[in-house]
Amino acid sequence: MSTLVFENVRLIDPASGLDQPGRLLVRDGRIAGLDQAGAEGTPEDATVVNGGGAVLCPGLVDMRVEIGEPGHEYRETVKSASRAAFAGGITTVAVLPTGTPAIDDPAMVRLLRSRGEEPGYVSILPYGALTKGCRGEELAEIGLLNEAGAVAFTDGARAVSTARLMKLALTYARGFGAMVVQHPEEPTLAGSGCATDGELALRLGLPGIPAAAEAIMIARDIRLAEMTGGRLHFGHVSTGEGLDLIRCAKNRGLPVTCDTAPHYFDLNENAIGDFRTYAKFSPPLRAEADRQAVCAALADGTIDAVASDHTPRDADDKRLPFAQAAAGGTGLATLLGVTLTRYHDGTLSLPEALALLTSKPATLLGVAGASRRKGARPAGTLENGAPADLCLFDPDRAWRVVAGELPGHSQNTPFDGRALEGRVMGTWKNGVRVFGDSA
Amino acid sequence: MAEGQAGGSRFFGASGRHLLGVQGMHPSQIIPILDLAETYVLMNGSRKTPRDRLRGRTLINLFFEDSTRTRTSFELAGKRLGADVVNMSIAQSSVNKGETLLDTAATLNAMRADLLVVRHSQSGAPALLAQKVDASVINAGDGTHEHPTQALLDALTIRRHLGRIEGLTVAICGDIAHSRVARSNIHLLSAMSCRVRVVGPPTLVPGAMSALGVEVHHTMEEGLRDADVVMMLRLQRERMSGGQVPSAREYFRFYGLDRRRLDLAKPGALVMHPGPMNRGVEIDSQIADSDQSVIREQVEMGVAVRMAVLDLLARGARS
């Protein structure tokens, strides 16, 4: 029996609303209780971790991650992604199904899940392909994929294009209680565009995508969700107009949710100035007013989760003329630090910021506490009996992002040079230290 | 981040060794180019050019997109200044076979080129090359971004005919959205305090255009009124028939330059076109060949302006 005690920590568990100084006890890889500072003595056999007053919270749950496996191992493997995730305090990742091949077969779902169960690796919650091969033509085997453990269904950064197919998907998935995750961009309006329509795209001579391509898709799909009763989630929402529609749908009681990614509340389109491909994303970075609208939607709860949208790409995919370069950036190691900028600027309280990274995405993915799906491994919680997936961080400790020196294989961060406050001191999975001094 | 957009490294100037765009150029950078080009116009006329100016220098014309006139113009400019000129036409297909733009850059570095004239179908490609090569890079047209030497030669043509650039009203007409010539001209003419109008069907004029400080018009009748200069743009074939414009004949009917419309401009207004022209699509043949047309002179000015640009960049590299 191994026992671990965290002392002198500020315990924050957004799932239960806990935020107090105290101690946390871990036995045999599971959380075995917590108490207030100064309570009873330490068990004799325990290993003690003195947190020095830092925050101890559930290991983060990142609900939108691309890994190179299968098919693109030169970008990232489960091993390299685990290293990056642990350095970022993340212990559970939901992996997009858009590898090669696409995750449209139950065996692939089981394989990915089992990769995450290997010792020293981050837990993997696979998304299932919404359509076969993520080609957007016919539905994938949603029932079988769901049974195999797929947590939700999506075609990744490919929007489900036709209203007919989306209606079908929402209707069919409803039968399994499964969530459909849409890329909020009307693809015919997006065309071959690679920047948000506006003055900057005009000056750079880059084909633009109207920002309204997002709202148009969101409006259509909210209506389809209402029509079908399906469970709908929008990934990486980035415009004020799109968020207004989601806010309005939520106020009407519709089961519609969304997430966003750090680059949409920390960067605006000016980051692509002079054709900087490392700031190329899909959807593209937006005007400053939209960035501010994303911050406001984080504050008022319209946005349910912050996900890294980790998209590893090697230099050859990025060092191309802008329109030909790959979209996306790495984000595992910077997820917490960039999200905490919104705590430091007063947009969010610390428990609110952590809820967006732990309990809320866990709930969306069906792995949270009591409401979790059958057989799921609990994540994003400090409840008794849950696996001891933990993140210890100092919210005020500063560090600088340096591309080339980040953990993980690909180094295509859009935050190169960015100074951040909030550094992970240690990460534990199943009570085993996987990042930090004694790892 | 924002500083990258107006950064000095893209232009002539203290730190600049490339000509990647007109955006951000100041009249104090533009006028010396025009003045020097003016002297080359005279020398070209008397067939006495300083062939020692670029002696021993290697100029590579790197064209990823077909162009006869621009390539020839740079080739002549380089040769008249005594440079060794090499033309490399790289069809898009061979690039797709695996050699990336940056592989090409490494190859050119190994060849020790001094001046690199680049045309590419992708906006920003010359800027990317410029980061990786030792040579001075001159943008000879990239995607829908910029075509700086075209704007400079247009400015020189205007100045020689009208005696000035400042304060003129210039109407740029046609496919503004996909035109690098229009963008470079807008930047240059605005910097030189012109009143710039863009005229075209709404499908070919980006909504953000007015943010560049130009007037937007959707009829030729409004746009040409009292203009000193009318610049026509080439309508790409793929825009006609089902694209942004229903047909060539409809386009000519509403946006073609004919005598009636030209008469709305100032008497003696200049007619310009970067070529090659679609006669009967954007411009009436008679107008193209009329006294008001300076289209052939634009070609002549092109060689002189490019000589001036090559000369200045080579001087900058020397110092």
Side-chain angles (χ1 to χ4, degrees):
Chain A
M1 256 182 56
S2 70
T3 306
L4 188 61
V5 177
F6 290 87
E7 289 185 342
N8 192 15
V9 291
R10 175 178 169 188
L11 292 166
I12 300 184
D13 181 25
S16 64
L18 176 84
D19 177 6
Q20 63 176 42
R23 307 194 308 168
L24 183 116
L25 183 67
V26 172
R27 275 217 175 90
D28 291 335
R30 293 188 176 274
I31 292 168
L34 36 89
D35 53 27
Q36 297 191 0
E40 67 192 86
T42 310
E44 279 182 15
D45 58 341
T47 311
V48 175
V49 176
N50 187 332
V55 173
L56 186 68
C57 70
L60 311 188
V61 179
D62 186 345
M63 73 176 291
R64 191 179 181 91
V65 170
E66 194 184 287
I67 290 181
E69 289 187 38
H72 299 284
E73 286 77 4
Y74 67 96
R75 291 174 178 161
E76 194 94 276
T77 59
V78 174
K79 188 176 179 183
S80 69
S82 295
R83 216 162 50 230
F86 291 149
I90 298 162
T91 50
T92 303
V93 294
V95 171
L96 292 171
T98 45
T100 309
I103 309 303
D104 61 358
D105 187 287
M108 295 293 297
V109 172
R110 291 194 186 95
L111 174 70
L112 264 183
R113 277 182 61 187
S114 67
R115 292 286 277 142
E117 285 161 8
E118 291 173 35
Y121 284 2
V122 67
S123 286
I124 293 178
L125 303 173
Y127 281 100
L130 183 61
T131 65
K132 290 195 178 102
C134 293
R135 281 188 298 270
E137 288 158 8
E138 43 185 344
L139 291 184
E141 293 168 320
I142 291 173
L144 291 174
L145 293 167
N146 183 60
E147 201 173 58
V151 287
F153 295 85
T154 183
D155 283 350
R158 229 165 301 172
V160 178
S161 171
T162 69
R164 184 190 158 276
L165 183 63
M166 194 58 173
K167 171 174 169 271
L168 200 61
L170 286 164
T171 307
Y172 188 75
R174 191 190 61 195
F176 300 98
M179 181 166 83
V180 173
V181 178
Q182 170 71 307
H183 176 70
E185 188 172 73
E186 207 294 315
T188 64
L189 274 177
S192 59
C194 59
T196 300
D197 243 352
E199 184 185 342
L200 183 68
L202 173 66
R203 285 181 185 275
L204 293 174
L206 295 175
I209 301 172
E214 177 172 294
I216 288 168
M217 197 54 138
I218 289 176
R220 182 196 84 177
D221 288 350
I222 286 174
R223 189 66 190 82
L224 288 171
E226 189 173 11
M227 181 198 294
T228 59
R231 176 73 183 83
L232 176 62
H233 179 89
F234 295 103
H236 48 207
V237 178
S238 59
T239 68
E241 207 187 342
L243 289 161
D244 284 345
L245 289 163
I246 292 165
R247 188 178 288 118
C248 184
K250 287 183 162 193
N251 288 340
R252 287 168 54 218
L254 297 175
V256 173
T257 52
C258 70
D259 67 76
T260 193
H263 38 274
Y264 297 117
F265 56 77
D266 197 62
L267 300 173
N268 64 27
E269 61 182 352
N270 290 329
I272 69 167
D274 253 14
F275 305 102
R276 196 163 163 264
T277 57
Y278 285 79
K280 179 179 176 180
F281 289 94
S282 171
L285 294 178
R286 307 297 190 182
E288 173 60 12
D290 280 319
R291 188 195 68 81
Q292 290 179 17
V294 172
C295 293
L298 286 170
D300 74 10
T302 301
I303 293 171
D304 299 275
V306 173
S308 70
D309 210 357
H310 180 74
T311 308
R313 289 292 181 272
D314 73 354
D316 286 349
D317 292 333
K318 281 290 187 183
R319 288 184 188 150
L320 290 168
F322 195 89
Q324 295 174 335
T330 57
L332 292 170
T334 50
L335 173 65
L336 179 64
V338 181
T339 302
L340 288 178
T341 59
R342 297 288 80 89
Y343 153 65
H344 289 291
D345 75 2
T347 305
L348 300 168
S349 69
L350 198 48
E352 284 169 343
L354 292 176
L356 290 163
L357 299 170
T358 58
S359 56
K360 286 181 163 185
T363 303
L364 291 171
L365 298 167
V367 295
S371 66
R372 68 181 183 270
R373 43 191 291 146
K374 212 176 84 198
R377 180 178 179 279
T381 175
L382 294 184
E383 73 179 359
N384 258 339
D389 291 357
L390 301 165
C391 167
L392 180 72
F393 72 96
D394 179 345
D396 299 315
R397 185 148 159 193
W399 63 292
R400 189 175 293 280
V401 182
V402 180
E405 294 177 13
L406 289 171
H409 187 65
S410 289
Q411 296 290 323
N412 54 309
T413 173
F415 300 112
D416 187 23
R418 180 88 163 79
L420 295 173
E421 283 174 279
R423 177 120 225 203
V424 176
M425 321 290 288
T427 306
W428 286 260
K429 191 189 168 195
N430 289 326
V432 176
R433 190 159 194 165
V434 286
F435 175 76
D437 287 340
S438 64
Chain B
M1 272 170 278
E3 67 193 4
Q5 287 163 56
S9 65
R10 309 179 61 188
F11 319 114
F12 294 116
S15 63
R17 58 185 178 97
H18 308 296
L19 177 62
L20 301 177
V22 177
Q23 188 183 176
M25 277 178 92
H26 188 265
S28 66
Q29 296 167 301
I30 295 167
I31 292 167
I33 302 174
L34 302 184
D35 290 346
L36 181 61
E38 200 75 70
T39 69
Y40 283 128
V41 174
L42 298 173
M43 291 185 206
N44 283 336
S46 61
R47 300 188 188 279
K48 282 183 185 157
T49 55
R51 295 201 176 247
D52 56 339
R53 190 77 78 189
L54 295 184
R55 183 177 299 145
R57 299 298 180 108
T58 304
L59 183 159
I60 299 185
N61 267 326
L62 186 61
F63 279 60
F64 293 90
E65 205 181 58
D66 285 340
S67 155
T68 312
R69 61 177 65 210
T70 304
R71 199 202 64 218
T72 309
S73 181
F74 272 107
E75 186 174 355
L76 272 177
K79 284 182 170 165
R80 285 183 186 171
L81 294 173
D84 299 318
V85 181
V86 181
N87 290 320
M88 286 177 72
S89 292
I90 301 180
Q92 208 59 42
S93 59
S94 71
V95 173
N96 290 341
K97 278 177 193 153
E99 188 175 77
T100 67
L101 195 58
L102 295 185
D103 290 335
T104 309
T107 306
L108 294 167
N109 257 351
M111 292 177 181
R112 307 216 179 278
D114 298 293
L115 295 153
L116 205 54
V117 176
V118 182
R119 166 162 295 193
H120 201 284
S121 62
Q122 293 289 323
S123 300
L128 182 63
L129 265 179
Q131 291 170 15
K132 302 289 169 183
V133 295
D134 301 324
S136 291
V137 174
I138 298 150
N139 180 2
D142 62 329
T144 55
H145 176 226
E146 285 231 39
H147 191 355
T149 56
Q150 179 71 43
L152 288 164
L153 74 88
D154 287 343
L156 182 62
T157 308
I158 293 170
R159 194 174 80 171
R160 280 172 62 84
H161 275 271
L162 302 180
R164 66 187 165 107
I165 301 170
E166 299 76 11
L168 297 176
T169 300
V170 181
I172 306 175
C173 311
D175 183 1
I176 309 292
H178 304 93
S179 176
R180 52 198 175 208
V181 174
R183 281 175 181 72
S184 287
N185 264 308
I186 287 166
H187 297 317
L188 190 149
L189 295 167
S190 302
M192 296 296 290
S193 310
C194 287
R195 185 173 166 190
V196 183
R197 298 175 182 163
V198 297
V199 190
T203 47
L204 296 178
V205 180
M209 208 69 220
S210 51
L212 302 192
V214 301
E215 292 173 30
V216 176
H217 295 280
H218 297 305
T219 70
M220 292 288 273
E221 286 69 18
E222 277 177 37
L224 264 52
R225 198 173 301 281
D226 298 323
D228 296 288
V229 178
V230 180
M231 284 185 180
M232 301 305 297
L233 299 172
R234 177 179 168 79
L235 185 70
Q236 304 289 332
R237 216 157 271 286
E238 61 267 26
R239 316 276 171 239
M240 304 178 227
S241 69
Q244 285 91 339
V245 172
S247 70
R249 68 175 188 175
E250 175 154 321
Y251 186 79
F252 185 70
R253 166 73 181 77
F254 293 98
Y255 294 99
L257 184 65
D258 57 16
R259 171 52 58 192
R260 185 178 56 85
R261 291 188 176 128
L262 182 56
D263 284 345
L264 295 169
K266 284 215 180 108
L270 302 184
V271 173
M272 306 178 75
H273 193 296
M277 284 180 281
N278 294 305
R279 288 170 185 262
V281 177
E282 68 258 357
I283 188 163
D284 185 297
S285 227
Q286 288 180 346
I287 300 295
D289 300 327
S290 73
D291 291 347
Q292 283 173 270
S293 163
V294 294
I295 296 169
R296 258 166 299 177
E297 192 176 337
Q298 285 174 271
V299 178
E300 185 190 341
M301 294 305 112
V303 178
V305 153
R306 286 164 184 137
M307 289 169 79
V309 166
L310 295 175
D311 187 1
L312 287 169
L313 284 178
R315 283 186 214 176
R318 248 192 302 266
S319 62

